[in-house]
Amino acid sequence: MDSVALAVTDGMLHFELALAHEVFGSAPDALAGSWYDLDVCGPGPVRFGRFALVPDHGLDHLARAGTVIVPGWADLAVDPPAELVEAVRAAHEAGARVASLCTGAFVLAAAGLLDGRRATTHWAHTGELAARYPGVRVDPDVLYVDEGSVLTSAGKAAAMDLCLHLVRSDRGSSVANTVARRLVVPPHRDGGQAQFVTTPVPAPDHHPLADLLPWVMERLDRPLSVEDLARRARMSSRHLGRHFRAVTGTTPLQWLLTQRIRHAQELLETTDDSIDAIATATGMGTATTLRRHFHRTIGVPPDTYRRTFRTRPGRQGRAGC
């Protein structure tokens, strides 16, 4: 998966292209060792509004990549170019992991990669995706969907979430968090989080949970309940739930579980602590509870995750710009 190819052609959205290029094109200064090999692949010089781009390779090069990323497709009134669709299909058949950003999902759908699969796109276009490709199980309410070898994201900021998810899947939570710090973006938002959030990226100290969330993060080792959070926030549990949905796009308990799991990932990568000790440090109580929630959320047991993503010496440090 260390080779990444961006599939481009005339009429794609330059924001998603630039975003993916920023994530996969250069490693943060704090990370030692190799990074992704990134290629931009297209049929020739392509235009993005007022911008022009000369690709590194033709579209046939997609089949050599471990991961193919399809940025947003701008003009949904016309079908994406047949040569792009065929190249993306061929890359997947050759074993590539294929991910779309925003309306790039229409390219994947045209290639038949989403048939029978759950997928998403920008909330404004989920209805059209479902109508045009009835074989796709369109989920309009999530940030991104990971179906293994095929992944799709909603628009703009959710495209960043999916790119960081790919880095986290490949290189671990600690590395993904370092990339997020360099880009000054939230290190993790669950794919299942709602697309349409009242305050997707709340300004510091300007939302009802501004004091509560840091307080919780400092107490992940404690058995916190919704009532504990509501009491700290000086509001009813019902009001707390509404504010959590508006600010984070999820429920208090789901948000809390996510923070515990992410903290467990960091500890598994960066310490030699036992699973029991990590369960205590993350408020899971017992190793059995940690293993159950970790496996269900991450897809592998904690011990397997540690063996896969154990941080090598010298890889930690401050992220550079």
Side-chain angles (χ1 to χ4, degrees):
M1 298 300 181
D2 282 346
S3 59
V4 176
L6 302 183
V8 302
T9 190
D10 287 338
M12 284 191 158
L13 300 174
H14 58 271
F15 179 88
E16 285 78 8
L17 170 64
L19 180 153
H21 197 286
E22 183 67 24
V23 171
F24 298 104
S26 59
D29 292 342
L31 298 179
S34 62
W35 192 239
Y36 295 91
D37 291 325
L38 179 68
D39 289 309
V40 179
C41 303
V46 297
R47 296 197 64 83
F48 301 81
R50 297 183 179 182
F51 302 95
L53 175 67
V54 178
D56 302 307
H57 302 281
L59 287 172
D60 58 337
H61 192 80
L62 295 179
R64 304 179 186 179
T67 298
V68 172
I69 296 179
V70 183
W73 177 247
D75 190 357
L76 298 183
V78 299
D79 292 331
E83 59 182 338
L84 172 64
V85 172
E86 179 55 38
V88 169
R89 182 189 298 118
H92 186 258
E93 291 174 351
R97 175 179 61 181
V98 179
S100 65
L101 308 180
C102 193
T103 50
F106 284 79
V107 178
L108 271 60
L113 302 189
L114 301 184
D115 290 345
R117 285 189 166 102
R118 184 167 154 262
T120 195
T121 188
H122 190 289
W123 61 268
H125 305 295
T126 51
E128 184 172 357
L129 181 65
R132 192 180 299 184
Y133 302 101
V136 181
R137 294 186 288 118
V138 179
D139 190 337
D141 298 322
V142 297
L143 295 178
Y144 58 85
V145 175
D146 184 343
E147 288 278 287
S149 65
V150 178
L151 304 91
T152 53
S153 84
K156 307 305 179 186
M160 175 65 79
D161 292 318
L162 178 54
C163 288
L164 290 175
H165 171 72
L166 291 172
V167 174
R168 181 173 290 102
S169 299
D170 294 342
R171 295 169 179 263
S173 182
S174 181
V175 172
N177 290 347
T178 299
V179 174
R181 285 193 295 271
R182 177 174 70 89
L183 299 175
V184 198
V185 297
H188 181 266
R189 294 195 297 170
D190 274 334
Q193 187 169 312
Q195 277 196 46
F196 193 76
V197 184
T198 305
T199 313
V201 185
D205 303 324
H206 286 87
H207 62 86
L209 305 181
D211 294 328
L212 178 64
L213 300 186
W215 181 85
V216 173
M217 294 299 292
E218 294 175 358
R219 293 164 175 80
L220 290 178
D221 59 331
R222 305 183 188 182
L224 299 171
S225 66
V226 173
E227 290 71 24
D228 293 329
L229 271 60
R231 190 178 306 112
R232 174 68 185 184
R234 298 181 180 178
M235 60 181 70
S236 69
S237 298
R238 179 175 297 181
H239 279 108
L240 180 73
R242 282 201 289 265
H243 285 305
F244 255 90
R245 179 65 65 178
V247 172
T248 72
T250 190
T251 66
L253 285 181
Q254 186 57 52
W255 180 86
L256 180 58
L257 177 60
T258 297
Q259 308 318 308
R260 295 191 194 282
I261 294 295
R262 298 311 165 202
H263 188 37
Q265 287 180 284
E266 290 272 8
L267 293 175
L268 287 166
E269 294 174 35
T270 60
T271 75
D272 294 319
D273 293 350
S274 67
I275 302 301
D276 286 293
I278 292 175
T280 299
T282 57
M284 294 289 191
T286 67
T288 300
T289 301
L290 171 60
R291 287 191 172 96
R292 182 175 71 252
H293 286 297
F294 195 96
H295 198 168
R296 185 177 64 189
T297 302
I298 305 301
V300 295
D303 305 276
T304 302
Y305 183 89
R306 169 172 268 167
R307 288 194 298 271
T308 303
F309 294 117
R310 187 71 170 92
T311 301
R312 302 170 192 165
R315 292 189 65 179
Q316 294 298 304
R318 293 189 61 183
C321 293

